[in-house]
Amino acid sequence: MITPDLHKKPVGLDREKHKNLKLRRELSNLRAAAGLNALFLTGAEFGDACKEYPILFLNAGQDDQGKTQVAPVAVFGVTQGENLFLQPDGRWDAYYVPAMLRAYPFTMARLDADRYVVVFDESYDGLSETEGQPFFDEKGEPTEMLKELRQFIENIEVEIERTRRAGQRLMELKLLQPKRFDATLPDGTPFAVDGFLALDEERLAQLSDAEMLELTRSGLLALLHAHQISLSNMRRLLDRRLALQAAAGQTLN
């Protein structure tokens, strides 16, 4: 899945055109997340991510059948363009790093219903034709590094599709509703974040026994619980911002 804010210049990997391309793995690829205040998260990551980030759902339009789509995201900042986890030296100040960021500069794009292509961000400064580990060997075959990277992003793509279906089912059950996060700053100023979807607990309590059994057996109830746990990180995220601004002698905009 190509994320425009992350993959700024996506290009399909071609064994002829890119036969000399190399990856400088000693460089931090996490710097690409500068300016990202949220990133797509697969359902398989909820268990780890809920300990670090708020996990919110964003409206992602409709599919070809007109069904509402949602995209879960790990939130890195409370305002647009703000990332409170990326450090100046390129380190990530959290134990868990979302899979799509770990895979950067690589991802996959769908060619048609059954075919995908490996894509990389051509703007990434860790790519070179003179330094680093090669993508292809002298015979033009993928190196072990490229094989491992491809397997990783293929696994992510599988989880993206599972997550898409999970979100669709949650919307069909009307379990995700527009929500708002409100807080009061130390100086008494009110602060709010909105524009996202989150679990409607009243609606969850209204589900039939059959629907609850479906959620339990499908793993969706576990996802919702992780999502609920993650919401406490909204306050921690704001505290993180306030601490950084206090250290810099700034005020919240």
Side-chain angles (χ1 to χ4, degrees):
M1 183 176 78
I2 296 174
T3 302
D5 289 338
L6 181 62
H7 309 104
K8 297 179 175 62
K9 195 175 179 181
V11 175
L13 183 63
D14 183 281
R15 74 171 63 213
E16 289 299 325
K17 184 178 179 180
H18 304 118
K19 61 183 178 181
N20 297 320
L21 201 59
K22 297 177 174 63
L23 179 66
R24 297 180 60 192
R25 303 191 82 170
E26 77 277 9
L27 299 182
S28 171
N29 63 339
L30 303 180
R31 294 183 187 275
L36 279 183
N37 77 330
L39 185 63
F40 181 88
L41 199 70
T42 67
E45 301 177 83
F46 276 33
D48 288 318
C50 73
K51 304 167 189 174
E52 311 266 10
Y53 319 100
I55 300 174
L56 307 178
F57 293 85
L58 303 181
N59 192 311
Q62 297 181 332
D63 63 11
D64 296 338
Q65 286 73 47
K67 294 183 178 180
T68 301
Q69 303 291 293
V70 293
V73 295
V75 181
F76 307 145
V78 294
T79 60
Q80 191 69 29
E82 177 181 71
N83 188 324
L84 299 171
F85 293 91
L86 181 64
Q87 302 301 294
D89 61 1
R91 292 181 302 107
W92 194 261
D93 190 23
Y95 180 77
Y96 184 76
V97 179
M100 287 194 67
L101 185 53
R102 282 183 279 135
Y104 181 83
F106 299 94
T107 187
M108 299 201 85
R110 185 189 294 270
L111 292 177
D112 53 41
D114 302 311
R115 294 188 302 156
Y116 290 85
V117 63
V118 175
V119 170
F120 66 92
D121 182 3
E122 197 173 41
S123 69
Y124 177 52
D125 60 8
L127 299 172
S128 171
E129 289 196 351
T130 59
E131 300 178 74
Q133 298 183 31
F135 291 169
F136 301 99
D137 61 23
E138 294 178 354
K139 297 180 179 179
E141 297 299 322
T143 60
E144 286 303 314
M145 179 196 72
L146 182 55
K147 291 177 182 177
E148 291 174 3
L149 287 170
R150 183 183 180 96
Q151 185 62 59
F152 183 45
I153 58 178
E154 283 181 350
N155 291 342
I156 294 175
E157 203 64 35
V158 169
E159 293 302 331
I160 287 174
E161 177 59 22
R162 288 176 178 167
T163 304
R164 184 193 67 79
R165 294 197 301 267
Q168 185 173 295
R169 184 57 180 148
L170 293 177
M171 291 301 291
E172 290 171 349
L173 292 171
K174 298 181 174 58
L175 287 171
L176 300 178
Q177 299 293 335
K179 297 287 184 177
R180 174 186 172 102
F181 170 75
D182 290 288
T184 301
L185 303 182
D187 64 0
T189 303
F191 181 80
V193 177
D194 55 18
F196 63 88
L197 304 174
L199 174 65
D200 185 329
E201 296 186 13
E202 290 186 10
R203 170 59 184 158
L204 180 63
Q206 295 169 0
L207 293 183
S208 67
D209 290 347
E211 289 170 330
M212 284 298 293
L213 182 60
E214 175 201 342
L215 288 184
T216 302
R217 289 183 171 175
S218 67
L220 290 180
L221 190 59
L223 292 186
L224 290 175
H225 285 161
H227 159 63
Q228 285 179 293
I229 291 170
S230 81
L231 296 180
S232 64
N233 292 322
M234 284 296 294
R235 180 70 239 188
R236 296 191 183 105
L237 197 62
L238 182 57
D239 289 343
R240 176 185 285 258
R241 186 179 198 237
L242 291 170
L244 289 173
Q245 290 180 324
Q250 300 173 349
T251 58
L252 187 66
N253 295 322

